[in-house]
Amino acid sequence: MKRPISRAALGIAALITIAILANWLVSLTPYGNRGVDFTENRIHTLSDGTKAILGGLDTPVAIRYYATRNSDYMPEQVKIHIKRIDDLLKEYANLSDGKLRIENLDPQPDTDAEDSANLDGLQGEQINGDNLYLGLAISALDKKVVLPFLNPADETMLEYQISKSIAEVSTPVKPTIGIMSSLDLAGTPAAIPGQQNAPAWVIYQQLQQSFEIENLGMNPESIDPEEIKTLLLIHPSGISPETEFLIDQYVLRGGTVVACLDANSLAAQMTGGGNPMMGQQGIPTISTLPNLLEAWGIEFISSEVLADPEYATMLGGDRKGIAVLSLPQSAMPREDSIITQNLESVLFYLPGAFRNKGTVGVKAVSLIRSSKGAGFVDSFKAARLDPSLDTSVKSENTNFDLVTHLSGKFKTAFPEGPPELRENADGDTTVKNSITTATKTGNVFLIADVDAFYDAFAYSVQNLGGIQMANPSNGNSSLLLNILDQAVGSQHLIGSRSRAATRRPFTLIQRMEANFDREVGDRILELQGKQEEAEKKLRELQAQKVEGSELYLSPEQEAEIVKFRQQQVEYSRLIREQQKDLRRQKDSLAGDITLLNVAFMPVFVVLIGLGVFLKRRSSTRAR
């Protein structure tokens, strides 16, 4: 009898050993880190954009991953975050087809790894008195991007940051942005000797630091999406049909357009020149894209400006700017948008607004919008801060888009072909091989204000000893730079959203606990009110003893004092009982959940085993 039992025990032990070894060996292969993601929002699965970037790598990329792993002072949440980063980078490596090399380094004090971290620009973070490292240095060829500290609080942005950095270092040259504007963004030379040059807009100077800039003017001969990564339009007032046609062709071929339009541009009034007294007209204050917006199913309302009492801004002299809109996070409906996620607020001056007519098959995503109480007012009165507008805004009970993103296969605005075009010196038309159907997915970002990016409204500018110092005064510049940053980084990142957080609250349990708190809390508040009333009466009686001429209280008064003291004690006891009852309910709920977690899987396995046993038994009987 002992021999069969021994053989069975040895067999079971051998099977367990084989399973452990097989699991270990598989974990060493690229297939060992793959699994099936059943979580809501697929939080453990890389996005399609990341997969496309990794699949398109044609040059090796190295990631030096610095993480302090052996520290007594490491917070638990950071340890958990490190494990998530480990798993994420393994998934990146698995999908890169060998193009991505990850080097794991633990920068302990006085080690080569610490020296390497310092050379890469990582200094570590002081946490509980210890210098802890958790960052990445991503490099390819002669380009490098450093993510100095991967904060657990920014977990939702982690995949985007890594993918954007990989796309950036694997691009050999700076991306080129083409700019079209009726305003002098690049500055102008002095009109007469002795005058100072008009400096470039601060936002233009910032763009020059990060991108190659090509000033196309308002009448370019061509716009090639292979050369122009993104086309930026800032107040394209008076745009011609010929130029709109070139933009149309650019979008149909997969180009990305960022268009800042305006219903009443103060920047155009302040910098556009002209002298009405001399019959000289300056730059128009309204800018739109009449043919393109119609084809894209978008209406730009520019005959009046948008006023919004909920987001109105209080200006100097205690005057309300009903059409000067301070737009907080509540005006940014996409919580997972990388463009708006970290913006506290933006400030729009006398903007127009977009209305999506929904007539074409293009996806529209609202990034910033008005409240439902918004309406349109006269631009002249709004610019003068006319107080009569404060009570005369007629709400249309709808949210108007102020920043919107269109993406998809756009329809041409010129189905009958190009308008009559200029001819160059050779007599050939300036556009050849025009198309009427989209060959690639295009992207268009529409912004309903131009003044938001003008120096006077976006920055605090100081001139110190001939050196211009500019600091952002709101989130306006960050909004435009975030859009451009996403647009030029990689076409696969355009419209990317942040990942859902892996730390997710048990909302059902929180709701049950909140109900407990509310039910018991109401009783506790009632008892506390009675206790305070008893204390108040007790203080009044004792004050009578101090202030009165009698040295002693009457027996009736003494009895009242004893009565109120007893009430105090009784109410304190009842409050403690209610608090204990609340803890018991929460402990009972936690116990039930723990029991379900512990018991469910074993019971589930037993039931499956029992079902298999009964099925086999019935099959055996049938034979």
Side-chain angles (χ1 to χ4, degrees):
M1 185 69 180
K2 291 183 179 180
R3 187 171 295 173
I5 294 176
S6 299
R7 288 178 178 174
L10 287 172
I12 292 172
L15 286 173
I16 293 173
T17 303
I18 291 170
I20 292 173
L21 290 173
N23 185 59
W24 175 68
L25 290 172
V26 170
S27 70
L28 299 178
T29 69
Y31 300 98
N33 295 299
R34 296 184 180 178
V36 182
D37 188 354
F38 292 108
T39 58
E40 185 181 4
N41 299 322
R42 296 171 63 82
I43 60 176
H44 298 293
T45 301
L46 295 179
S47 66
D48 293 338
T50 292
K51 292 176 181 177
I53 289 171
L54 295 174
L57 286 177
D58 54 8
T59 185
V61 175
I63 296 181
R64 289 180 293 284
Y65 173 29
Y66 298 98
T68 302
R69 299 180 183 273
N70 299 315
S71 173
D72 297 332
Y73 303 100
M74 180 76 74
E76 189 62 31
Q77 70 177 56
V78 177
K79 292 180 181 178
I80 296 172
H81 191 50
I82 288 176
K83 183 64 173 67
R84 294 194 187 106
I85 298 171
D86 292 344
D87 294 340
L88 186 66
L89 291 179
K90 286 179 182 176
E91 189 69 15
Y92 268 82
N94 291 339
L95 294 173
S96 68
D97 195 24
K99 294 290 186 180
L100 191 65
R101 178 174 58 84
I102 298 172
E103 184 178 357
N104 292 283
L105 298 167
D106 186 353
Q108 295 299 320
D110 303 321
T111 62
D112 291 341
E114 186 179 49
D115 293 338
S116 177
N118 293 332
L119 288 172
D120 276 329
L122 281 79
Q123 301 299 322
E125 293 285 328
Q126 288 291 327
I127 300 179
N128 297 333
D130 202 2
N131 197 36
L132 303 180
Y133 291 84
L134 183 57
L136 301 176
I138 303 171
S139 60
L141 301 175
D142 59 345
K143 299 183 71 174
K144 180 172 70 175
V145 172
V146 176
L147 303 178
F149 187 73
L150 306 176
N151 195 327
D154 298 329
E155 175 196 2
T156 58
M157 295 289 289
L158 181 60
E159 181 188 342
Y160 175 76
Q161 290 172 338
I162 295 174
S163 298
K164 174 181 173 295
S165 300
I166 292 173
E168 184 175 338
V169 299
S170 59
T171 303
V173 295
K174 268 187 180 183
T176 299
I177 290 179
I179 294 182
M180 297 174 58
S181 177
S182 60
L183 303 173
D184 293 319
L185 305 181
T188 55
I192 58 176
Q195 279 189 339
Q196 289 186 341
N197 296 336
W201 286 26
V202 174
I203 191 71
Y204 184 87
Q205 296 176 50
Q206 285 188 287
L207 293 177
Q208 285 181 310
Q209 295 173 9
S210 303
F211 312 108
E212 293 290 339
I213 301 298
E214 185 172 341
N215 291 305
L216 300 175
M218 289 299 296
N219 296 292
E221 293 188 356
S222 64
I223 309 173
D224 187 353
E226 297 298 324
E227 297 178 2
I228 304 297
K229 190 75 173 178
T230 298
L231 181 62
L232 174 61
L233 311 179
I234 295 184
H235 198 57
S237 59
I239 191 169
S240 67
E242 290 81 8
T243 300
E244 279 194 281
F245 174 75
L246 294 178
I247 298 172
D248 176 82
Q249 296 294 296
Y250 174 79
V251 173
L252 293 180
R253 289 181 167 88
T256 298
V257 172
V258 180
C260 304
L261 312 178
D262 212 316
N264 185 34
S265 172
L266 298 178
Q269 294 178 31
M270 297 167 69
T271 66
N275 188 341
M277 299 295 293
M278 302 291 293
Q280 299 173 351
Q281 297 298 319
I283 294 174
T285 59
I286 297 176
S287 55
T288 185
L289 302 171
N291 294 298
L292 294 174
L293 294 181
E294 178 68 25
W296 297 341
I298 297 292
E299 177 189 4
F300 180 53
I301 304 165
S302 58
S303 57
E304 297 180 296
V305 296
L306 185 70
D308 193 335
E310 182 173 337
Y311 297 137
T313 304
M314 295 305 298
L315 303 172
D318 200 28
R319 296 182 299 170
K320 181 186 288 187
I322 195 72
V324 180
L325 309 184
S326 296
L327 300 156
Q329 270 289 326
S330 58
M332 306 173 194
R334 303 288 297 194
E335 294 182 0
D336 56 358
S337 170
I338 291 165
I339 291 171
T340 60
Q341 189 175 60
N342 293 322
L343 296 178
E344 291 186 6
S345 66
V346 295
L347 195 61
F348 278 16
Y349 293 80
L350 310 183
F354 300 108
R355 182 186 279 121
N356 183 7
K357 296 188 290 187
T359 55
V360 298
V362 176
K363 180 182 178 182
V365 176
S366 177
L367 297 177
I368 301 179
R369 66 188 184 187
S370 72
S371 72
K372 287 192 174 182
F376 294 92
V377 298
D378 180 76
S379 59
F380 181 70
K381 289 183 178 181
R384 292 174 49 230
L385 305 181
D386 190 330
S388 67
L389 297 179
D390 297 351
T391 56
S392 61
V393 177
K394 295 181 180 179
S395 168
E396 297 188 22
N397 196 32
T398 187
N399 300 108
F400 291 99
D401 287 340
L402 293 164
V403 181
T404 189
H405 174 207
L406 310 177
S407 62
K409 296 289 186 70
F410 286 80
K411 293 182 179 179
T412 182
F414 301 90
E416 297 180 359
E420 185 178 353
L421 298 173
R422 305 179 314 275
E423 293 193 354
N424 60 26
D426 298 328
D428 298 325
T429 59
T430 57
V431 174
K432 299 177 180 179
N433 302 320
S434 62
I435 58 176
T436 56
T437 57
T439 58
K440 294 181 181 178
T441 298
N443 286 275
V444 175
F445 293 89
L446 297 173
I447 302 174
D449 192 27
V450 169
D451 303 324
F453 312 110
Y454 182 52
D455 294 2
F457 306 125
Y459 298 90
S460 173
V461 182
Q462 294 179 318
N463 197 313
L464 302 176
I467 301 175
Q468 188 183 60
M469 304 289 291
N471 293 306
S473 54
N474 44 52
N476 295 0
S477 59
S478 295
L479 169 66
L480 183 58
L481 292 173
N482 285 353
I483 291 174
L484 292 172
D485 194 43
Q486 192 178 61
V488 303
S490 169
Q491 63 174 344
H492 305 300
L493 292 177
I494 299 175
S496 293
R497 297 176 295 173
S498 59
R499 293 167 65 90
T502 55
R503 298 185 300 277
R504 305 182 64 199
F506 294 99
T507 52
L508 178 60
I509 297 171
Q510 288 179 342
R511 198 156 49 242
M512 294 172 71
E513 288 184 345
N515 290 335
F516 294 157
D517 289 335
R518 186 166 54 252
E519 292 170 3
V520 178
D522 290 343
R523 291 198 292 271
I524 290 176
L525 287 174
E526 180 184 351
L527 292 171
Q528 285 176 339
K530 291 180 179 179
Q531 185 184 38
E532 290 173 1
E533 183 66 24
E535 288 176 352
K536 179 181 177 182
K537 291 181 178 179
L538 182 59
R539 286 194 301 270
E540 290 174 354
L541 285 171
Q542 290 174 332
Q544 291 177 15
K545 182 176 179 179
V546 174
E547 297 173 0
S549 58
E550 299 293 335
L551 293 177
Y552 302 98
L553 295 175
S554 66
E556 291 80 9
Q557 289 174 319
E558 292 286 0
E560 284 291 311
I561 288 176
V562 171
K563 173 186 172 184
F564 287 132
R565 282 176 176 164
Q566 289 174 342
Q567 287 181 354
Q568 272 188 304
V569 173
E570 179 63 15
Y571 289 141
S572 295
R573 184 187 66 79
L574 290 173
I575 288 172
R576 287 196 302 272
E577 286 298 323
Q578 291 295 327
Q579 290 172 337
K580 289 178 182 177
D581 182 51
L582 177 60
R583 283 196 295 271
R584 279 194 294 269
Q585 291 185 61
K586 289 185 176 181
D587 290 343
S588 175
L589 176 62
D592 292 343
I593 293 169
T594 302
L595 180 62
L596 283 173
N597 285 336
V598 172
F600 174 76
M601 187 54 69
V603 170
F604 181 67
V605 171
V606 167
L607 290 175
I608 290 178
L610 183 61
V612 172
F613 169 74
L614 292 174
K615 184 177 181 181
R616 287 182 175 177
R617 185 176 180 183
S618 62
S619 299
T620 303
R621 285 181 175 177
R623 288 197 295 267

